[in-house]
């Protein structure tokens, strides 16, 4: 039996990590998180997969709301926790936003297949909250957004947001293009 570190999945993950570009940002408020979503939407195009991860209450849906505003889609962007996925068609000629919350889904891509994300992906921007370990196989090129916040009894609104661009699509991701949020030296 092959050791886990030599498995095809482990090799793929190691290759993706080598090809990843990371940008670290500081966000001070929910309004800034939504504004960051609008900013990110400016670089998105049909076929992009965006994975969001972070603690409950970190700002994943707030960021997605900004993405929806920036993409100019129809409908209020709210957490799809109980419906699993929502499609927000474009109000113009841009891509639709497919917003998925995989929190309650235990399996990997097999369980996600019923959502037909692979069919939606070429013509849409697909955003998956809690998608880590579940949707990576949808695309070799993806943007993983990791949102970290202070945990415990605190009302600190500050978040550290890491944009991890994986694959050739995201090779040009750089800290200096994300002012005012970019963290110097990160």
């Amino acid at each position: 039996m092959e050791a886990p570190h030599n498995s095809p999945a482990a090799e793929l993950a190691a290759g993706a990590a080598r090809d990843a570009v990371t940008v670290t940002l500081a966000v001070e408020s929910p309004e800034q998180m939504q504004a960051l979503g609008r900013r990110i939407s400016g670089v998105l195009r049909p076929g992009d997969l965006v994975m969001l991860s972070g603690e409950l209450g970190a700002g994943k849906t707030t960021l997605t709301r900004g993405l929806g505003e920036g993409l100019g889609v129809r409908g209020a962007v709210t957490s799809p926790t109980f419906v699993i996925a929502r499609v927000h068609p474009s109000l113009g000629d841009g891509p639709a936003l497919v917003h998925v919350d995989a929190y309650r889904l235990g399996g990997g891509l097999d369980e996600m297949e019923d959502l037909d994300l692979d069919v939606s992906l070429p013509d849409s921007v697909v955003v998956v909250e809690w998608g880590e370990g579940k949707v990576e196989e949808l695309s070799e090129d993806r943007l993983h957004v990791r949102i970290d916040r202070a945990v415990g009894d605190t009302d600190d609104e500050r978040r550290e947001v890491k944009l991890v661009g994986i694959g050739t699509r995201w090779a040009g991701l750089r800290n200096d293009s994300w002012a005012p949020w970019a963290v110097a030296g990160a």
Side-chain angles (χ1 to χ4, degrees):
M1 181 172 173
E2 192 172 40
H5 67 279
N6 291 333
S7 71
E11 289 174 13
L12 181 62
R18 280 192 304 273
D19 296 335
V21 178
T22 301
V23 171
T24 302
L25 311 173
V27 175
E28 302 295 334
S29 68
E31 295 78 19
Q32 281 189 4
M33 185 67 75
Q34 199 161 334
L36 177 59
R38 288 190 299 272
R39 170 67 177 85
I40 292 171
S41 74
V43 299
L44 295 177
R45 62 184 186 212
D48 281 342
L49 173 63
V50 180
M51 294 174 22
L52 304 179
S53 59
E55 298 287 328
L56 287 169
K60 296 178 295 295
T61 300
T62 301
L63 181 84
T64 305
R65 190 171 299 120
L67 291 172
E69 287 175 7
L71 291 171
V73 300
R74 185 176 70 214
V77 175
T78 59
S79 178
T81 298
F82 297 105
V83 295
I84 309 298
R86 283 196 172 96
V87 177
H88 298 275
S90 175
L91 292 171
D93 59 356
L97 172 66
V98 178
H99 184 197
V100 179
D101 187 328
Y103 182 75
R104 297 185 314 140
L105 301 177
L109 192 57
D110 292 340
E111 189 170 346
M112 302 287 287
E113 280 184 359
D114 290 340
L115 299 176
D116 288 332
L117 294 179
D118 55 337
V119 173
S120 301
L121 188 58
D123 301 318
S124 306
V125 169
V126 175
V127 176
V128 183
E129 295 186 32
W130 304 97
E132 195 169 7
K134 298 175 183 172
V135 298
E136 289 88 342
E137 294 175 30
L138 283 174
S139 178
E140 291 179 10
D141 297 306
R142 59 193 173 276
L143 181 63
H144 185 175
V145 180
R146 172 81 193 165
I147 305 171
D148 290 310
R149 66 177 181 92
V151 293
D153 188 20
T154 180
D155 56 2
D156 186 359
E157 297 287 342
R158 187 174 200 283
R159 306 291 193 260
E160 181 178 272
V161 179
K162 288 191 179 181
L163 305 178
V164 181
I166 300 167
T168 56
R169 160 77 175 94
W170 298 101
L173 195 62
R174 302 180 330 268
N175 263 344
D176 60 352
S177 62
W178 292 94
W181 299 289
V183 175

